[in-house]
Amino acid sequence: MTVLKDIPEKWFPVFLPTQKKKKTGGKSKKKRTEEERKVKANDREHNEKFQYASNCIMTSKYNILTFLPVNLFEQFQEVANTYFLFLLILQLIPQISSLSWFTTIVPLALVLSITAVKDATDDYFRHKSDNQVNNRQSQVLIRGSLQNEKWMNVKVGDIIKLENNQFVAADLLLLSSTEPHGLCYIETAELDGETNMKVRQSVSVTAELGDPNNLASFDGEVVCEPPNNKLDRFCGTLYWREKKYPLTNQNMLLRGCVLRNTEACYGLVIFAGPDTKLMQNSGRTKFKRTSIDRLMNTLVLWIFGFLVCMGVILAVGNAVWEREVGSLFQSYLPWDPPVDNFMFSAFLSFWSYIIILNTVVPISLYVSVEVIRLGHSYFINWDRQMFCSWCNTAAESRTTTLNEELGQVEYIFSDKTGTLTQNIMTFNKCSINGQTYGEVMDSLGKQPKRLDFTPFNHLADPDFCFYDEKLLESVKVGDLHTHEFFRLLSLCHTVMSEEKSEGELVYKAQSPDEGALVTAARNFGFVFRSRTPGTITTTEMGRTVTYSLLAILDFNNIRKRMSVIVRNPEGRIRLYCKGADTVLLERLHPCNQELMNITSDHLNEYGADGLRTLALAYRELSEDDWEAWSESHRCADKATDFREDRLAAAYDKIEQDMMLLGATAIEDKLQEGVPETIALLSLANIKIWVLTGDKQETAVNIGYSCKMLTDDMTEVFIIGGHTVQSVRQELRRARERMIELSHAKDGGKDEGKEAWAEACFTGNGLKDGQKGDCTTGGASKQLHCSSFPSSASSDMDNISGEFALIISGHSLAHALEADMEAEFVSTACACKAVICCRVTPLQKAQVVELIKKHKKAVTMAIGDGANDVSMIKSAHIGVGISGQEGIQAVLASDYSFAQFRFLQRLLLVHGRWSYLRMCRFLCYFFYKNFAFTMVHFWFGFFCGFSAQTVYDQYFITLYNIVYTSLPVLAMGVFDQDVPDHRSLEYPKLYEPGQLNLLFNKKEFFICIAQGIYTSVVLFFVPYAVLSNATQSNGVPLADYQTFAVTTATALVIVVSVQIALDTGFWTVFNHMFVWGSVGSYFTIMFALHSQTLFRIFPNQFHFVGCAQNTLLQPVVWLTIALATAICVVPVLAFRFLKLDLKPQLSDTVRYTQLVRQKRRKPAGRSIGGAWRGTGSVSEGRLGTRGGSRRSGYAFSHQEGFGELITSGKNMRLSSLALANFASKHSSSWIETLRRKKNNHTPPSTSGECSPAPSNMSGMGPALSNSGSNSSSVLGGSQETPIEEETNTAIVLPSSSHPAALEPAEPRASAQVAPADSSTSAAARTDSPGGWTRSLETVQETLFGRRGCPSASNS
């Protein structure tokens, strides 16, 4: 075995981070740690000595023999299942069991069976998928001939033949292909999510081994790194014929790739099965649990503790009773044989009561929760409004465990390209020699017709859109600068071209940007046709021209530019360069100053429009210049140490004194509905952070396009420091500036600022030994840190104003350090928008983990590419967009759909409903079980603490699985407080979920208290009535069986009435289950008390004839009615008063909509309608903005094909705009609650009224002078026409502060009606007095806005 010191140094990064302790010898049962891999071609016996993994994969968990024991073992790892198994064992002990064993085993078996069937079904599909993959056929070279073998039988060291469009069976070293010089093309969408074509090349010495006979004699040995999950690197060496050849990732074909545009190729299997990089990257996704799950586990432990306490109380009571009273009955009621004293009797009584009272933790709770979640998942899958017809993709819930957490999201971390944008680039504008092209409007302001390039150029792409005819005329008249501009675009790239037929060109580009630029040059007469390693062939204005390709100076993220050096047919040598303006303009010749100023102005204009810009330049080279540079480049290329740095220096040397040609502007179109969705989520107090690998300028411009950033923001902070200290200073200055501007805006004094300034920061900003609770103004959860003095923390809490933070990747690396993270979180969370640029996939995940650590908030990550997978897996909820970058993000996600705009329905509709339903379900479930179980507790004081049950044992068995299970399931699956369109119109309805208001410890105790109160009524009312009651014939009714039937009947009726009151949305299933459960109770009870069953099983059915006898007595029904009234009336009274005095947001919405429907015809507008009414957002940018913001071109994140192309090997020929957001709702009751929840900081006393985020044309005088910003909260630019809409205000007779409640529909602008017209048009409501009083708070509760005094519109 190779020891560590013998391993090449370049392999250290691969395995040292996860290095395990070396084995010193001998055989071990555990798999040895592989430190390097040695593979010999065509020698299975040699390779089998190393016991490498076979190519068979197994993702399933069970087989026929192991399913039952393994599945049961897994299920009994759940505490609840183990608890009920323990109870079952107790019930088998006759001395302590008051109940038959079937009362526990029936529900336990039901739960275990349902779970087992679900697990078996899931594993069956895994087996099916595994078998499908393992049984694929592959051609393997065995003993000199190609034979078909199943993938599962392929071994390490085999040589495999792949044909076009086939999947790669294992990780292969490419030996040869049918393409010249061992080239082949692959698609890696299944591996890394990228859909663009990639090129791989074999080692030159094996490239000619194309014949199976030659390959059969190939006996080379590969020594390489051990299996790992790094997709972008491979280190190894090929030893053959006493020579060694270095191997890199460019020589490898990885499992999961597909061979494209290549007839056939041959490869040597290096890694197989679980050792392949694909399988190494498919590690188990960590199990995600919701906050309700965690709370429920805590509550179950509390309930178990409560159960033990009740058992102890009753056991003590038994001991006292047996000692004081029971001893008097020993003569005719002796103790059972094992019991010889009162203490032992109490001990047995304790366990008996644990069995009887175990239903406070019902086993049906867990299976009911899973059924409800499954139903919610199907509702998401079936939602036609989340179906994308364009790509024929429906929304998919890929998990059933997180649905209710969708209603509690506070932070969304989003990718940019492909998530917010379409990742479809279009050539939009350009600047050539100081002249800008692309801004075209006719005299009426309408967009002219798109240009038809076909008459001018038969090779033009028919899908290309451009409108400025001046640019085409400039090309036609032969303008030299224009020709040189498009010549550069046709030559300076690494695009692959495939010509399927004459004139039918297909471009394969590394990035959509490159493809857009080459396509633009193609349409304007400079057509890239084909390339070889040494030439580029183009068609220029109908004339075929072949350039000698001397060098490609490839792109990377540091250089931010690429260049090519070519020799034209006349022998002149030129360097063509394109790159980000920030790096290219500083490399121009001084004579370009005037042109550079003009072009910079154009770049600023393009950047302000949200376009991705790129500067173009060239340089003439003499033969001497070329020869001298070529030699230095050759030396740098062959260097063994610091090769990249030497090449970068060589590139930089020649990319100087260039002549500016112009600039291009490419548009990455926003997806439809992105600005509206972001606006709506922002109104729901959801904070959206954009984490992108793109450059800062591009990300910022997209931020403006989608209205995350606006020119009306108070300030935008840019963090760009390169050292820890500089980043800390910038963050500190940003916080100081926020507090200063906030105080200035609020008219406050400067004491807070002075206190902040005087605070002595040391290290990460703390006074020595000082600690504090830091809570940001824009956040709702407490940040447990010790970063700031308490005065500074208080100032950050009360920040008003809209701020944005933009931070680059290198600054973020410092901000994420342990001593800086609290400062970064505090600063970022005080901002309304955060954009992180140039971040790596790992940094995306680190940002998510940081917020999860410091803010007790639910996070969601959404992305569409393989680089988003780590972020998606780190967040509480991961969402994958099925877009242009493969399906890796979708496969790693919890939910997936095709468009970002569907996020609003996922959260505001499905998420809110799921949270609401689950909370109502849990509240009712705990209530009904405490009401059921606590009757036994009270009965214990009247039966000598003998563990006698109140109910018939069959009633105990069926109560949770028949009589009360279906109604609560129907409520948990179908219930809703407001319709889906109202959830979208009133995004503030989402906030109770973020604050966890509907189910928490307080709500739990309220439910428990109600259940205990109900149990008291259900026991003592029948006990008091029946103790002295008699039948009509004088026979007393005070017997145990009559009491049991009366109490059980009253219980079923009370809990059925209660769920009828709790249900807010009735469907046919609710009616059927609620009333059907009551009917089934009577049916089953009469059957169980019948003479027939008693005759068959006389020892099992003791209540013979009791139901008929009891329910014929009028006093029994009066008792049931009295108990029901005493249980229900206080609940009704409490709810009426609560609705009247302090209505919830959903109550207010329902009532307001009811009033509006009575007073006027419903407008019928919805969010979707608003989009359709104003045109498609996808048609382009959403308006312009002021300011000078420069955008730069964003290349692909990985190295281009430059080095491969120039290697000397022959290549084959081949809707509404939203300008403002609602300000912070400092005066709303929800915000007050949020502040109390954080750190008991008193709410801001600012007198500013934050505008209601809604369509407010009917608000009249209430809004006429409500603030300095009289435009729409969700309004567009000044140029957007105002939509007329007449709404009737709701004027409250008893209030001096009238307020209207309108939906938060994004509009171009909100019309504020004049005071007199609004007042005259107002309709008065003849509502009950309570509602007229409570509606005064309607606007405040919905939008965090107090009604402003009526005033004139002067």
Side-chain angles (χ1 to χ4, degrees), residues 555-557 692-695 838-839 867 1195-1199:
F555 164 86
N556 63 38
N557 282 333
T692 176
D694 240 330
K695 59 179 296 185
R838 286 296 190 206
V839 294
N867 59 332
F1195 290 86
S1196 171
H1197 277 255
Q1198 53 188 16
E1199 298 285 346

Side-chain angles (χ1 to χ4, degrees), residues 1165 1169-1175 1215-1216 1255 1257 1280-1286 1305-1312:
R1165 283 188 55 172
W1171 295 340
R1172 292 188 292 271
T1174 55
S1215 119
L1216 291 168
N1255 161 0
S1257 59
T1280 310
I1282 296 178
E1283 279 191 39
E1284 298 288 342
E1285 181 180 357
T1286 58
E1305 298 175 359
R1307 298 189 55 196
S1309 74
Q1311 180 182 359
V1312 180

Side-chain angles (χ1 to χ4, degrees), residues 72-333:
L72 287 176
F73 175 75
E74 289 177 345
Q75 290 200 58
F76 282 114
Q77 286 182 322
E78 291 283 343
V79 177
N81 291 340
T82 306
Y83 165 69
F84 284 105
L85 180 64
F86 173 68
L87 287 178
L88 177 62
I89 295 172
L90 289 180
Q91 285 180 275
L92 296 177
I93 303 174
Q95 285 77 15
I96 63 175
S97 179
S98 298
L99 294 172
S100 299
W101 53 269
F102 62 79
T103 58
T104 297
I105 199 171
V106 170
L108 179 61
L110 182 65
V111 170
L112 295 178
S113 301
I114 291 175
T115 307
V117 169
K118 177 179 175 291
D119 292 342
T121 303
D122 291 343
D123 208 58
Y124 166 75
F125 286 111
R126 293 193 200 101
H127 273 286
K128 191 175 180 180
S129 176
D130 291 346
N131 290 335
Q132 182 182 0
V133 172
N134 289 330
N135 290 314
R136 287 177 179 172
Q137 295 292 317
S138 186
Q139 298 183 66
V140 183
L141 190 64
I142 300 177
R143 292 184 292 275
S145 63
L146 290 171
Q147 300 180 15
N148 285 330
E149 283 280 359
K150 295 179 179 179
W151 277 23
M152 58 191 299
N153 297 327
V154 171
K155 306 292 184 182
V156 171
D158 287 351
I159 294 178
I160 294 178
K161 179 182 179 181
L162 291 175
E163 295 180 345
N164 193 34
N165 296 327
Q166 279 190 347
F167 278 92
V168 179
D171 288 358
L172 310 177
L173 170 66
L174 180 60
L175 297 177
S176 66
S177 81
T178 54
E179 301 301 309
H181 299 282
L183 291 171
C184 74
Y185 304 87
I186 59 172
E187 183 181 280
T188 62
E190 295 294 325
L191 199 62
D192 58 14
E194 297 183 4
T195 55
N196 53 285
M197 203 93 66
K198 294 181 175 63
V199 181
R200 293 293 183 263
Q201 186 177 18
S202 66
V203 182
S204 56
V205 71
T206 65
E208 304 303 326
L209 299 176
D211 184 77
N213 295 325
N214 296 331
L215 289 167
S217 61
F218 176 67
D219 59 353
E221 184 177 19
V222 174
V223 179
C224 66
E225 65 193 24
N228 60 80
N229 62 357
K230 294 178 174 58
L231 297 174
D232 57 348
R233 64 168 294 158
F234 176 82
C235 295
T237 305
L238 170 63
Y239 295 90
W240 191 40
R241 295 175 179 172
E242 299 182 352
K243 291 184 180 180
K244 60 180 183 179
Y245 307 91
L247 304 176
T248 67
N249 200 49
Q250 286 295 321
N251 309 123
M252 296 295 294
L253 305 180
L254 302 184
R255 180 176 180 139
C257 300
V258 181
L259 192 68
R260 300 291 192 199
N261 297 343
T262 305
E263 184 179 337
C265 70
Y266 293 88
L268 173 66
V269 177
I270 304 297
F271 301 121
D275 291 341
T276 59
K277 292 183 184 286
L278 174 67
M279 298 303 295
Q280 291 279 314
N281 274 280
S282 61
R284 291 180 180 271
T285 303
K286 59 183 180 181
F287 183 67
K288 298 180 179 181
R289 301 187 71 89
T290 67
S291 58
I292 286 184
D293 275 335
R294 294 188 290 272
L295 176 61
M296 211 159 62
N297 289 339
T298 302
L299 296 181
V300 166
L301 291 176
W302 287 4
I303 293 174
F304 183 73
F306 180 68
L307 172 63
V308 172
C309 291
M310 288 193 298
V312 169
I313 292 171
L314 294 170
V316 171
N318 178 268
V320 172
W321 192 90
E322 289 290 351
R323 180 180 178 182
E324 301 296 331
V325 182
S327 58
L328 305 177
F329 297 88
Q330 288 295 314
S331 57
Y332 62 89
L333 193 63

Side-chain angles (χ1 to χ4, degrees), residues 485-534:
F485 179 91
F486 286 113
R487 182 176 291 114
L488 185 152
L489 294 182
S490 67
L491 296 174
C492 185
H493 57 79
T494 57
V495 173
M496 305 290 179
S497 174
E498 181 182 359
E499 193 161 355
K500 297 183 177 180
S501 61
E502 179 62 30
E504 187 181 352
L505 292 171
V506 177
Y507 291 149
K508 296 293 184 180
Q510 262 190 301
S511 69
D513 308 68
E514 290 246 270
L517 293 173
V518 177
T519 301
R522 168 185 174 180
N523 279 266
F524 283 99
F526 290 78
V527 185
F528 167 62
R529 299 296 294 268
S530 62
R531 73 188 322 146
T532 69

Side-chain angles (χ1 to χ4, degrees), residues 963-978:
Y963 300 150
T964 61
S965 61
L966 293 181
V968 70
L969 277 179
M971 182 178 71
V973 172
F974 299 110
D975 202 30
Q976 53 183 263
D977 53 350
V978 297

Side-chain angles (χ1 to χ4, degrees), residues 1008-1243:
I1008 297 308
Q1010 184 186 356
I1012 294 175
Y1013 166 76
T1014 302
S1015 70
V1016 170
V1017 173
L1018 291 177
F1019 177 79
F1020 287 101
V1021 169
Y1023 181 84
V1025 174
L1026 296 181
S1027 59
N1028 297 315
T1030 60
Q1031 299 181 21
S1032 57
N1033 57 5
V1035 177
L1037 280 173
D1039 63 275
Y1040 163 70
Q1041 293 185 338
T1042 300
F1043 176 77
V1045 171
T1046 304
T1047 305
T1049 305
L1051 172 65
V1052 171
I1053 291 176
V1054 167
V1055 297
S1056 298
V1057 171
Q1058 184 64 48
I1059 199 169
L1061 295 175
D1062 289 345
T1063 301
F1065 183 74
W1066 286 86
T1067 66
V1068 64
F1069 297 103
N1070 294 85
H1071 284 288
M1072 186 168 60
F1073 291 160
V1074 171
W1075 315 126
S1077 295
V1078 176
S1080 67
Y1081 163 72
F1082 287 104
T1083 304
I1084 294 173
M1085 180 177 64
F1086 281 113
L1088 294 177
H1089 295 184
S1090 66
Q1091 294 279 354
T1092 305
L1093 286 177
F1094 175 74
R1095 291 193 188 100
I1096 301 174
F1097 305 104
N1099 294 328
Q1100 297 294 328
F1101 297 95
H1102 308 297
F1103 278 53
V1104 57
C1106 183
Q1108 296 89 332
N1109 185 55
T1110 301
L1111 297 181
L1112 287 176
Q1113 306 302 318
V1115 67
V1116 170
W1117 285 106
L1118 289 173
T1119 303
I1120 293 172
L1122 178 62
T1124 303
I1126 296 176
C1127 289
V1128 172
V1129 169
V1131 176
L1132 280 175
F1134 173 77
R1135 293 189 180 183
F1136 178 80
L1137 291 174
K1138 184 180 178 183
L1139 193 69
D1140 192 48
L1141 300 176
K1142 191 179 179 182
Q1144 294 182 353
L1145 283 81
S1146 55
D1147 301 326
T1148 317
V1149 170
R1150 284 200 303 269
Y1151 179 78
T1152 309
Q1153 296 305 315
L1154 182 62
V1155 172
R1156 183 174 292 110
Q1157 289 171 7
K1158 290 181 178 179
R1159 296 299 174 186
R1160 63 176 173 84
K1161 185 177 179 180
R1165 283 188 55 172
S1166 65
I1167 296 299
W1171 295 340
R1172 292 188 292 271
T1174 55
S1176 174
V1177 178
S1178 63
E1179 290 178 1
R1181 299 169 308 285
L1182 303 178
T1184 60
R1185 68 178 193 277
S1188 172
R1189 310 189 192 281
R1190 181 173 301 169
S1191 173
Y1193 185 67
F1195 290 86
S1196 171
H1197 277 255
Q1198 53 188 16
E1199 298 285 346
F1201 297 147
E1203 185 175 350
L1204 181 61
I1205 291 172
T1206 57
S1207 61
K1209 305 296 182 277
N1210 185 30
M1211 287 200 176
R1212 69 181 291 222
L1213 300 177
S1214 50
S1215 119
L1216 291 168
L1218 296 103
N1220 301 311
F1221 285 68
S1223 34
K1224 300 185 186 298
H1225 314 296
S1226 58
S1227 58
S1228 68
W1229 69 271
I1230 278 196
E1231 199 63 32
T1232 302
L1233 177 61
R1234 189 185 297 281
R1235 292 181 185 282
K1236 287 181 180 178
K1237 184 176 181 181
N1238 288 335
N1239 58 359
H1240 305 288
T1241 303

